[in-house]
Amino acid sequence: MVGVSIGRTPRTAPAAPDPRGGGPLLSLALASMLDEIHGHSGALYLLAQDQPVLEMAVMAGMPRAFAAPWERVGLSAPIPVAQAVRERRLVWVGGEEEMARRFPRIAVVLPYPFALAALPLATPTAAYGAVFVTWPASHPPVLSDWEREHLTAACDRLAVRLERAAAERRPLRGESDLLPAPPAGGAPGTLGMVEAARMVMRLPYGLASLDLHGRISYANAAAADLLGLPVGELLGTRMWTSVPWLNDPMYEDRYRAALISQHVTSFVALRPPGDWLSFRMYPSPTGLSVRISRARAVAELGRRSVPVPGEGPSSLVTISQVLSLAGALTEAVGVQDVIHLVADEIAPSVGSQALLILGSQGGRLHVLGHRGYRNARAVEHFHGIPLTAQTPGAHVLSTGVPAFFDSRPQLERLYPARHAVRDGFAAWAFLPLIASGRPVGTCVLAYAEPHHFPADERAVLTSLGGLIAQALERARLYDAKHRLAHGLQQALLPSTLPRLRGFDTAARYLPATQGMEIGGDFYDLVPTRPLAAAVIGDVQGHNVTAAGLMGQIRTAVRAYTTVGQEPQDVMRSTNRLLIDLGVELFASCLYLRLDPVDGSAVMSRAGHPPPLLRRPDGRVRVLDLAGGPLLGIDASATYPTTRVGLAPGSVLALYTDGLVESPGVDIEDALAELGQRLGDAGDVPLDRLADCLVRHSAAARERADDVALLLLRARSGS
């Protein structure tokens, strides 16, 4: 055996690699890397064949159970190793706060102080996997230059060897994990060691030694007495499984926190009926020492000051997986987001090669999305199946009971109709998706090989089915709301811009990303003869009320224009209408009467941002127009007009404040920037100009408010 150490801690490493390529290449490379940079733990991933998935090949320094939620990781997952491969760069996370900010899914499961670096295993032509390395909380928040250089060089060397193995068609598989070697057993060999053991046995408080897996390798008599079990029944067991009143994930969490952060941790626990015990854990890279004593002061505070352990078995690894995937599902917005997330993260984490999500509507199943099915006809078979049909997908949804099939014969024995469906898979998990007590659909996970589903895996998958159902229900409501908002907005705004004599036009509308993605911004063109009109406005708010009022204002402006009112009268009439409606909402508005014969525009403004005029020579100025207050404030308000000449080639830019107003940016600077972009654009087609102005606007990218833009270019020879 080759002894590889990290700092002063021996780490068991595999034998030297076989020169023909059959040795433990990955284990030795990882152990050497950790040894060079004094890392605490790490893992090496390989890209799965024909799948965008990273699979953990070997882990070192920590039990693999600590990384159970990330044994298989989709390349699109927002976690460091996946990001490192996607972006082909080192990803550094300097501590607990940074982890919570950048990678909240990991922080939810491992809320402990530690530092992490993730690097790709890639050559200039291909990626082969990734590595992550962790350090305890004592590591500085910044990765040093020498650590960065050593890590990068080691990963580059390993990537070249992986490239060579791929070229020679030598398959690389997972290898034995590397954990620090336990202390040598056997009887003490000197009188001093014997006396030390006797001294520990005489101590009035309990002492126990745990290995990296949390198993008790030593306990003195006092520890056995305090825990209430003989030493013989404690050795080789985990404290939180062998001691009934410690069977709570909270206590196992303290052990994990101590090992990952390498900081001393402590907790108190109630030993029935009323004794409080104090546990203090002293970690090292090879395990933990635990001091157990009575905590009378805590007992006097009452039981409500410290959580009481729950009854029944629990598994922190299972909880970790569910927490991680639940956090991922909270980020899904629409139905397709849910499907992509389940396919990219949940299916790989449970070892599934294909996914099918079926929705329930009108008493039938409908395919909402799928991934991994090469035979499209096999997917079509599921579409439109009645919920009363004798198929596993319909049956689990109607009964609410999940079904697991380890092999194809097992499935076809219960459902003979499945003989006709050749999907190329050999095992299945059918999970009913039940939300708020009603069926939402069915999630089907398919496996390429026969797969045994033990009880704990069934429990995890069933829990995930509930989380997927909740996410799918939220997503369907969001999609319905989005379709409603989009349809309403489309109905209230012009579907196409009418042609105006003497003017080219273009318009853009973007809803706010907050709220219902519907708002009160509007624009319109009224092609009356001989004079035409243009209007742009902004009703306060971005919700259904604002959109409804916007529709009324747009209709009113069009009606007042059609009957021939002057610009100032159109504004006064619209103002009185808004006040008479009594909706207590205000609106800004800019109205233009366009004369293509003499090349001019008469403008009236009600609290609206001033338009920009780009002259044919490229110069841009802000038109400081006379105007009145916002519509809906003062029934007696007047709205004076301003006449502006429009030479052929001139461009008028009318916009709402969502295009220029951004938190922390002065409005004058934003207007100057908009004018600069308008002037620099040149004589491009108006549609390209509109896209340019919207695309380069910081306010439009943030979209805290609706954005409307209307461009008019005067033509020659009208």
Side-chain angles (χ1 to χ4, degrees), residues 524-535 553-567 569-570 573-574 591-593:
D524 201 2
L525 296 176
V526 187
T528 55
R529 286 182 177 271
L531 306 179
V535 63
I553 292 177
R554 177 179 166 234
T555 302
V557 169
R558 178 173 279 265
Y560 297 140
T561 300
T562 303
V563 299
Q565 287 191 3
E566 294 298 321
D569 296 326
V570 171
S573 299
T574 308
Y591 181 88
L592 288 71
R593 180 64 55 83

Side-chain angles (χ1 to χ4, degrees), residues 192-255:
M193 294 177 67
V194 172
E195 186 56 33
R198 290 173 178 169
M199 179 190 71
V200 170
M201 294 302 292
R202 291 194 297 264
L203 290 174
Y205 48 81
L207 286 177
S209 178
L210 310 184
D211 66 13
L212 290 179
H213 295 282
R215 296 181 295 239
I216 300 173
S217 56
Y218 173 82
N220 67 357
D225 181 61
L226 290 169
L227 295 176
L229 289 175
V231 171
E233 294 183 21
L234 290 172
L235 295 180
T237 69
R238 293 178 175 86
M239 193 180 298
W240 35 89
T241 58
S242 59
V243 181
W245 44 272
L246 288 178
N247 192 354
D248 189 285
M250 179 183 69
Y251 303 134
E252 186 179 355
D253 178 70
R254 295 295 82 205
Y255 138 77

Side-chain angles (χ1 to χ4, degrees), residues 480-707:
K481 182 187 77 171
H482 183 74
R483 287 193 298 270
L484 172 64
H486 182 73
L488 177 59
Q489 194 77 53
Q490 291 297 107
L492 293 175
L493 289 173
S495 56
T496 59
L497 291 178
R499 291 182 59 85
L500 296 185
R501 189 165 66 97
F503 291 92
D504 295 324
T505 60
R508 295 292 182 269
Y509 173 80
L510 297 174
T513 54
Q514 302 173 5
M516 285 193 65
E517 296 194 7
I518 188 172
D521 288 17
F522 69 97
Y523 57 85
D524 201 2
L525 296 176
V526 187
T528 55
R529 286 182 177 271
L531 306 179
V535 63
I536 191 167
D538 182 359
V539 178
Q540 175 188 4
H542 35 87
N543 50 36
V544 173
T545 303
L549 185 59
M550 172 266 281
Q552 291 176 294
I553 292 177
R554 177 179 166 234
T555 302
V557 169
R558 178 173 279 265
Y560 297 140
T561 300
T562 303
V563 299
Q565 287 191 3
E566 294 298 321
Q568 64 269 27
D569 296 326
V570 171
M571 297 294 271
R572 280 200 300 266
S573 299
T574 308
N575 178 51
R576 286 195 297 270
L577 171 67
L578 190 55
I579 292 174
D580 291 342
L581 290 174
V583 293
E584 297 183 354
L585 289 179
F586 309 134
S588 69
C589 189
L590 177 62
Y591 181 88
L592 288 71
R593 180 64 55 83
L594 302 168
D595 189 339
V597 176
D598 68 0
S600 67
V602 177
M603 308 183 188
S604 183
R605 184 162 69 110
H608 199 81
L612 299 180
L613 174 63
R614 182 184 187 273
R615 298 186 182 278
D617 60 6
R619 290 182 299 167
V620 177
R621 71 184 182 96
V622 179
L623 297 181
D624 187 14
L625 306 177
L630 293 168
L631 302 176
I633 293 179
D634 182 4
S636 62
T638 59
Y639 298 91
T641 59
T642 303
R643 180 178 294 273
V644 177
L646 301 175
S650 299
V651 176
L652 269 175
L654 318 179
Y655 55 91
T656 56
D657 53 12
L659 186 66
V660 291
E661 288 189 358
S662 184
V665 178
D666 185 81
I667 187 64
E668 298 295 334
D669 294 337
L671 276 177
E673 184 180 348
L674 179 63
Q676 182 72 35
R677 288 196 302 271
L678 181 61
D680 293 344
D683 295 323
V684 298
L686 283 190
D687 280 320
R688 282 180 54 191
L689 178 58
D691 290 336
C692 174
L693 296 181
V694 171
R695 183 173 61 250
H696 292 96
S697 166
R701 288 194 300 270
E702 296 169 1
R703 285 167 61 186
D705 196 1
D706 309 342
V707 175

Side-chain angles (χ1 to χ4, degrees), residues 127-394:
Y128 299 96
V131 169
F132 79 74
V133 177
T134 73
W135 290 264
S138 56
H139 190 281
V142 177
L143 189 67
S144 68
D145 290 341
W146 75 266
E147 288 172 324
R148 182 182 297 269
E149 291 168 2
H150 277 72
L151 282 170
T152 303
C155 288
D156 289 345
R157 289 194 300 269
L158 180 56
V160 171
R161 301 186 71 177
L162 293 175
E163 183 179 51
R164 188 180 306 133
E168 296 172 359
R169 300 186 181 278
R170 283 190 285 114
L172 293 173
R173 299 180 177 85
E175 299 174 3
S176 300
D177 291 343
L178 307 177
L179 294 178
T190 66
L191 181 61
M193 294 177 67
V194 172
E195 186 56 33
R198 290 173 178 169
M199 179 190 71
V200 170
M201 294 302 292
R202 291 194 297 264
L203 290 174
Y205 48 81
L207 286 177
S209 178
L210 310 184
D211 66 13
L212 290 179
H213 295 282
R215 296 181 295 239
I216 300 173
S217 56
Y218 173 82
N220 67 357
D225 181 61
L226 290 169
L227 295 176
L229 289 175
V231 171
E233 294 183 21
L234 290 172
L235 295 180
T237 69
R238 293 178 175 86
M239 193 180 298
W240 35 89
T241 58
S242 59
V243 181
W245 44 272
L246 288 178
N247 192 354
D248 189 285
M250 179 183 69
Y251 303 134
E252 186 179 355
D253 178 70
R254 295 295 82 205
Y255 138 77
R256 291 161 63 95
L259 275 188
I260 292 176
S261 67
Q262 290 292 290
H263 279 181
V264 176
T265 64
S266 60
F267 64 88
V268 291
L270 176 65
R271 187 185 72 178
D275 293 329
W276 289 94
L277 299 184
S278 170
F279 294 77
R280 193 164 181 84
M281 295 183 168
Y282 300 87
S284 79
T286 58
L288 299 97
S289 298
V290 185
R291 183 182 187 274
I292 310 170
S293 60
R294 298 186 183 275
R296 294 186 180 88
V298 175
E300 294 171 1
L301 295 176
R303 295 188 180 187
R304 296 183 63 183
S305 61
V306 179
V308 178
E311 296 181 359
S314 61
S315 167
L316 191 61
V317 172
T318 298
I319 292 173
S320 298
Q321 291 173 315
V322 174
L323 278 174
S324 174
L325 299 173
L329 285 169
T330 60
E331 300 175 10
V333 178
V335 170
Q336 292 306 310
D337 293 335
V338 173
I339 293 168
H340 291 321
L341 194 145
V342 174
D344 292 341
E345 299 196 32
I346 292 182
S349 72
V350 298
S352 169
Q353 282 74 49
L355 164 81
L356 179 67
I357 299 289
L358 303 170
S360 170
Q361 187 175 8
R364 292 180 178 272
L365 292 175
H366 299 271
V367 176
L368 298 178
H370 61 90
R371 185 79 64 83
Y373 282 85
R374 298 181 179 178
N375 184 356
R377 298 184 64 180
V379 175
E380 292 171 2
H381 172 82
F382 291 93
H383 194 73
I385 294 177
L387 293 181
T388 55
Q390 289 303 307
T391 64

Side-chain angles (χ1 to χ4, degrees), residues 386-424:
L387 293 181
T388 55
Q390 289 303 307
T391 64
H395 188 252
V396 298
L397 187 57
S398 60
T399 62
V401 179
F404 302 93
F405 302 97
D406 297 356
S407 63
R408 177 171 286 277
Q410 187 183 63
L411 174 66
E412 293 176 348
R413 187 168 55 252
L414 291 175
Y415 298 96
R418 284 283 299 185
H419 282 282
V421 182
R422 292 297 167 183
D423 55 13

Side-chain angles (χ1 to χ4, degrees), residues 95-113:
E96 186 176 12
E97 291 185 6
E98 187 178 358
M99 183 70 77
R101 184 177 69 254
R102 294 173 55 195
F103 302 102
R105 297 184 192 175
I106 294 180
V108 166
V109 180
L110 299 175
Y112 318 121

